[in-house]
């Protein structure tokens, strides 16, 4: 059973939220759920990978307006899948890309760029 809440946020509010999160945070993870309760395995994996190397990062739960977040994020990254990680305003990737960077020993440097 999946939970699809009705969004109280307009598309413009979501775009402003996404823009601000990317601009104001060195590392930001747009994920399903939050740090305490990730709501999908990919979001949990991305969070765990970031937590290995960073104590300071921001997360944004996209579930309150999933379709709107997908559209706003796609404008920044060209991807519509969640999770998405941005470092210093630059799109890095989802959990698969973070895992590949980690396997190559490049994730720590990428997250501190």
């Amino acid at each position: 059973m999946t939970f699809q809440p009705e969004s109280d946020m307009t598309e413009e509010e979501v775009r402003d939220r996404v823009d601000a999160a990317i601009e104001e945070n060195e590392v930001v993870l747009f994920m399903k759920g939050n740090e305490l309760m990730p709501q999908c395995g990919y979001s949990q994996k991305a969070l765990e990978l970031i937590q290995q190397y960073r104590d300071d990062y921001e997360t944004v739960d996209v579930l309150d307006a999933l379709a709107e977040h997908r559209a706003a994020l796609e404008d920044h990254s060209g991807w519509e899948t969640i999770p998405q990680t941005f470092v210093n305003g630059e799109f890095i990737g989802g959990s698969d890309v973070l895992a590949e960077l980690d396997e190559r020993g490049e994730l720590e440097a990428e997250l501190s760029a």
Side-chain angles (χ1 to χ4, degrees):
M1 181 170 115
T2 59
F3 174 65
Q4 295 293 336
E6 288 297 316
S7 175
D8 293 338
M9 299 177 74
T10 67
E11 189 172 332
E12 185 176 335
E13 288 171 328
V14 170
R15 287 186 185 282
D16 289 345
R17 178 186 193 193
V18 167
D19 293 346
I22 291 171
E23 290 170 19
E24 296 169 5
N25 296 285
E26 196 171 305
V27 176
V28 61
L29 172 64
F30 293 89
M31 63 183 288
K32 293 179 180 174
N34 59 47
E35 286 182 79
L36 299 177
M37 289 191 64
Q39 296 298 307
C40 85
Y42 296 111
S43 291
Q44 182 172 345
K45 179 68 173 172
L47 183 63
E48 289 170 355
L49 287 163
I50 291 169
Q51 288 174 332
Q52 287 182 70
Y53 304 108
R54 295 288 301 224
D55 293 327
D56 58 325
Y57 55 88
E58 185 66 36
T59 61
V60 176
D61 183 353
V62 301
L63 288 176
D64 57 357
L66 186 57
E68 292 84 352
H69 277 96
R70 284 185 196 274
L73 287 166
E74 188 173 8
D75 288 347
H76 285 277
S77 66
W79 287 27
E80 90 173 22
T81 58
I82 308 293
Q84 292 191 21
T85 307
F86 290 80
V87 177
N88 293 320
E90 181 183 337
F91 175 61
I92 302 304
S95 59
D96 54 342
V97 172
L98 295 180
E100 289 174 21
L101 288 168
D102 193 42
E103 287 174 17
R104 294 195 309 248
E106 299 170 6
L107 183 59
E108 184 175 15
E110 191 70 45
L111 291 173
S112 60

